[in-house]
Amino acid sequence: MEQIHQLISADGLAIPLPLMQQYGLQPGDRVTLELGPDGIFMAVPVKDAKTIEITALKLTFRYLGDAVTVKAEQDESPLNQHGWCVNVYALGIDTPVGTLTFSHTGKLLPEFSTSFDEMRRQAMEHLQIHAA
C-alpha cells in the first residue's frame, strides 16, 4: 500500500490526479469514501465484469459448491446505480437460480440478493423436476 503525506487546506484534502491515474482512476470516476474513528478508506469502482464474476464465483463456490456459473452485468436500477447484478446458474440450468447484487465498489449487497439457501433450493427443485 502506498502512502502519501498531504496537508489539509481550507478546501479539504486533494489527492493528485497522477496518483489516481496510477490506480486506474480517471476524472469523472466515482469513488466511495468511508470515514470512521479509525481512519478514512477510499474504495474504487469495479469497472470490469470479470472482476465481479470472480468475486461472485468465490462466494458461490463457498456456499453452493462448484457446479455453478455466473454472468455479471451493470445494474442501473435506481437502488444500485453503477453497481452489478450477477445471475447465478446451476450446472445444466438455463435460467438463473438467483442473483447476487454488488455495489459499484464490489461489496455484496445481501439485502438485494437471493439467499444462498434459496439458490440451493431452486437448483434442487430443478434437478428433481428433470430427474422425474
Side-chain angles (χ1 to χ4, degrees):
M1 179 173 282
E2 188 165 344
Q3 286 187 357
I4 62 170
H5 299 278
Q6 297 283 91
L7 290 175
I8 298 175
S9 72
D11 294 327
L13 182 64
I15 302 172
L17 181 59
L19 183 60
M20 295 292 92
Q21 289 173 324
Q22 182 178 326
Y23 291 96
L25 295 169
Q26 298 297 325
D29 284 346
R30 292 181 178 271
V31 297
T32 300
L33 296 177
E34 296 176 3
L35 292 83
D38 296 328
I40 299 172
F41 174 75
M42 183 174 73
V44 298
V46 177
K47 299 178 182 180
D48 179 36
K50 284 289 182 208
T51 302
I52 288 294
E53 288 175 349
I54 290 168
T55 301
L57 279 172
K58 288 177 183 177
L59 285 169
T60 58
F61 288 171
R62 182 176 191 187
Y63 294 105
L64 300 174
D66 63 354
V68 296
T69 59
V70 298
K71 177 72 173 138
E73 54 190 44
Q74 289 270 215
D75 183 359
E76 293 300 331
S77 67
L79 295 175
N80 191 31
Q81 284 189 325
H82 311 292
W84 293 92
C85 178
V86 180
N87 289 317
V88 178
Y89 301 87
L91 200 60
I93 301 176
D94 294 334
T95 56
V97 295
T99 59
L100 295 174
T101 304
F102 293 86
S103 71
H104 72 284
T105 60
K107 181 179 178 183
L108 178 65
L109 302 173
E111 65 273 20
F112 300 121
S113 300
T114 307
S115 73
F116 291 108
D117 287 340
E118 177 62 18
M119 284 190 253
R120 193 176 301 108
R121 190 189 68 69
Q122 288 286 334
M124 294 302 286
E125 187 176 290
H126 181 80
L127 288 173
Q128 289 171 351
I129 291 170
H130 283 78

